Amino acid sequence: MFTRRNFIRSLGAASALGAVAFKDGGIDRVLAATRSVAGVSPEKTAMDEDFWREIQQSFTVDRGLINLNNGGVSPAPRIVQEAMKRYLDYSNQAPTLTMWRDLEPEIETVRRRLADNFGCDPEEMAITRNASESLEICIMGLDLKPGDEILTTNQDYPRMITSWKQRERRDGVKLKTFSFPVPPPSMDDLYERFEKAITPKTKVILVCHITNLTGQIFPIKSIAKLGRERGIEVIIDGAHAYAHFPFKHADLDCDYYGTSLHKWLLAPHGTGFLYVRKSKIKGLWPLMAADITQDDNIRKFEEIGTHPAANHNAIAEALTFHEGIGAERKGARLRYLRDRWAERLNGQKGVKIYTPFSPEQSCAIGNIGIEGVDMGKLGGYLWNNYRINVTPIVHPEFSGLRITPNVYTTLAEIDQFSSAMEKVIKTAYDRS
């Protein structure tokens, strides 16, 4: 008789190889490195290259290029890739049994672990495919009337702006945006801009926890409190925040929070979560229809039809990897990598750093502009000449390169980027 146990036994040598990968390039290596820095501050550990070399060896990345665009999507460590492959292999034996009956129920374990890490009740945690899906559940699921206003900044993620504009066309609501300087003078300034832009018609605030353009962190807890006091729903776009720098739900006290897990958690591509406060679940419509019996059940937001169990189940390995490093150590390292290039280039002729250096307002993401230099062309130049992958950002109010390293990034790679930029700066101003 076909059983899951017989299948696992049949893997034979493949299983043995997976075990070797798990031990030699996975969590055992991470945990051993972590023990070596026990009692050392995160800031000091951020500069310990012996520790981070062990973390770097957990990845299968191509070192023939320098990937400084981890903000869009990041490579997963080997243990996450191997777990997903195992789940896919098993799923394809007899999917109605192996995927639906055996693997799909394990989503509940993942739900509990994500909830524990985020600091919420598992019954408030929906597992989705990305931040866009999570946030569109909120955007499309809130009951609004013609004339109701939605407030956000003009630096919010384009997909979310597009979603609200569709509701404008369909439902007669009104999207209002406002500008803010990059970098802003303070977190208080960001709060005050939201406060001043509120009108009696404001029904929803959409705010990035950290922006994708410059890496600006917003004062989420105070904005969420402001909305609650005014009877305004506040949706947090956490696409770039979760597992990037340390925080818990209690630090935000928000009602709605959507994020991707394939960025900073290093989970399989196409994974995310949506947090909805328990008292808000019933009043939020799912994107795909759910039975009335699920009205107050967080799982109604997961009704998407047939989908692989492998992706969401392997989130567990990504959490293990993340927790093995430690959120505080990881955040400190990411800031250290950002500061290494930004402090070196800051102050050079024509250079503008659009990201604040304050640790309360930023982490790994940085944005640099050079006066008089086309950012799109500069991005192409770095790739064609140095195989450095960056993200050109062109906004109506500023333009720059978004630089996003991750824990597998080496200091040598950061320094190669800095040296290439210094050559560009020198060339640009030698001609002027």
Side-chain angles (χ1 to χ4, degrees):
M1 187 176 85
F2 179 88
T3 67
R4 187 177 184 185
R5 179 176 296 175
N6 289 338
F7 169 71
I8 292 171
R9 284 175 179 167
S10 74
L11 289 177
S15 293
L17 287 172
V20 171
F22 183 83
K23 183 174 182 180
D24 293 343
I27 197 62
D28 282 9
R29 194 166 192 156
V30 172
L31 294 177
T34 300
R35 285 192 292 272
S36 74
V37 295
V40 180
S41 72
E43 291 72 25
K44 189 170 181 180
T45 302
M47 299 181 285
D48 184 342
E49 294 311 304
D50 290 336
F51 174 81
W52 293 103
R53 191 170 296 111
E54 293 301 306
I55 307 303
Q56 292 155 7
Q57 292 303 309
S58 299
F59 291 82
T60 61
V61 296
D62 180 359
R63 295 292 177 182
L65 59 87
I66 298 174
N67 184 21
L68 297 177
N69 181 13
N70 291 280
V73 60
S74 287
R78 184 180 291 108
I79 61 165
V80 175
Q81 296 179 48
E82 292 297 332
M84 188 169 171
K85 291 171 187 173
R86 289 195 304 272
Y87 294 137
L88 282 172
D89 284 343
Y90 184 63
S91 295
N92 279 286
Q93 296 304 304
T96 59
L97 298 173
T98 53
M99 185 173 74
W100 286 351
R101 183 194 67 186
D102 295 340
L103 292 183
E104 186 61 30
E106 293 180 14
I107 194 173
E108 296 304 324
T109 301
V110 175
R111 189 189 317 281
R112 287 190 293 270
R113 290 198 58 192
L114 279 171
D116 181 67
N117 187 271
F118 185 60
C120 71
D121 188 319
E123 296 303 315
E124 298 173 314
M125 174 68 65
I127 298 173
T128 65
R129 291 169 290 186
N130 47 58
S132 292
E133 180 178 43
S134 299
L135 296 168
E136 289 204 32
I137 289 170
C138 299
I139 291 170
M140 302 300 178
L142 288 172
D143 285 327
L144 296 171
K145 304 186 304 294
D148 286 347
E149 292 180 353
I150 299 92
L151 180 62
T152 191
T153 77
N154 66 355
Q155 292 186 39
D156 210 290
Y157 193 63
R159 159 111 16 215
M160 293 17 278
I161 299 294
T162 298
S163 300
W164 282 121
K165 286 187 175 296
Q166 178 172 293
R167 283 213 69 174
E168 278 189 318
R169 299 193 304 272
R170 189 183 72 188
D171 299 326
V173 300
K174 179 65 177 176
L175 177 65
K176 290 182 59 180
T177 63
F178 63 86
S179 177
F180 64 92
V182 287
S186 67
M187 297 276 266
D188 287 343
D189 177 80
L190 296 172
Y191 171 86
E192 289 165 5
R193 287 172 186 269
F194 268 105
E195 186 179 38
K196 290 175 183 176
I198 291 173
T199 75
K201 294 182 179 181
T202 304
K203 301 302 178 185
V204 182
I205 288 173
L206 173 66
V207 55
C208 287
H209 192 173
I210 178 172
T211 65
N212 74 297
L213 300 183
T214 68
Q216 174 66 52
I217 296 174
F218 274 69
I220 296 302
K221 191 169 188 176
S222 58
I223 293 172
K225 182 173 183 288
L226 171 66
R228 194 172 294 116
E229 290 172 347
R230 305 285 184 90
I232 299 168
E233 301 283 17
V234 180
I235 303 167
I236 312 303
D237 180 344
H240 283 269
Y242 180 70
H244 179 174
F245 48 92
F247 65 89
K248 295 283 190 179
H249 176 261
D251 301 315
L252 313 175
D253 196 24
C254 58
D255 293 335
Y256 310 94
Y257 192 96
T259 190
S260 290
L261 302 179
H262 48 242
K263 298 178 187 288
W264 302 100
L265 186 63
L266 309 171
H269 305 155
T271 54
F273 78 65
L274 170 64
Y275 162 84
V276 183
R277 193 184 295 274
K278 195 174 290 187
S279 62
K280 297 284 187 178
I281 293 172
K282 190 170 185 177
L284 185 66
W285 294 94
L287 271 181
M288 293 193 184
D291 190 80
I292 192 171
T293 59
Q294 290 187 290
D295 271 2
D296 56 0
N297 189 326
I298 194 70
R299 293 160 190 79
K300 71 181 182 181
F301 303 120
E302 298 169 1
E303 292 291 340
I304 59 171
T306 302
H307 59 276
N311 298 51
H312 58 59
N313 283 11
I315 293 170
E317 277 79 5
L319 278 166
T320 299
F321 187 81
H322 171 74
E323 291 166 350
I325 296 172
E328 296 285 348
R329 292 188 192 96
K330 183 175 178 180
R333 174 65 172 187
L334 293 173
R335 284 195 182 93
Y336 176 69
L337 293 174
R338 192 277 313 275
D339 287 349
R340 187 174 180 92
W341 68 261
E343 289 178 352
R344 176 172 166 178
L345 299 178
N346 189 34
Q348 295 196 31
K349 192 170 183 180
V351 167
K352 174 69 173 177
I353 303 294
Y354 294 111
T355 306
F357 284 92
S358 163
E360 293 78 24
Q361 295 191 66
S362 63
C363 194
I365 302 172
N367 190 308
I368 179 173
I370 305 173
E371 188 177 353
V373 175
D374 182 292
M375 291 298 110
K377 291 180 179 178
L378 177 54
Y381 170 82
L382 291 173
W383 175 250
N384 292 330
N385 290 274
Y386 299 96
R387 280 298 184 261
I388 298 175
N389 181 32
V390 298
T391 313
I393 298 293
V394 179
H395 186 272
E397 296 170 4
F398 62 93
S399 64
L401 297 181
R402 188 186 73 185
I403 311 303
T404 50
N406 213 314
V407 291
Y408 67 85
T409 307
T410 67
L411 294 190
E413 290 168 337
I414 293 291
D415 292 345
Q416 286 179 58
F417 164 72
S418 299
S419 296
M421 289 292 284
E422 286 176 336
K423 290 179 182 177
V424 171
I425 294 164
K426 185 176 188 301
T427 299
Y429 283 93
D430 280 351
R431 291 173 180 170
S432 60

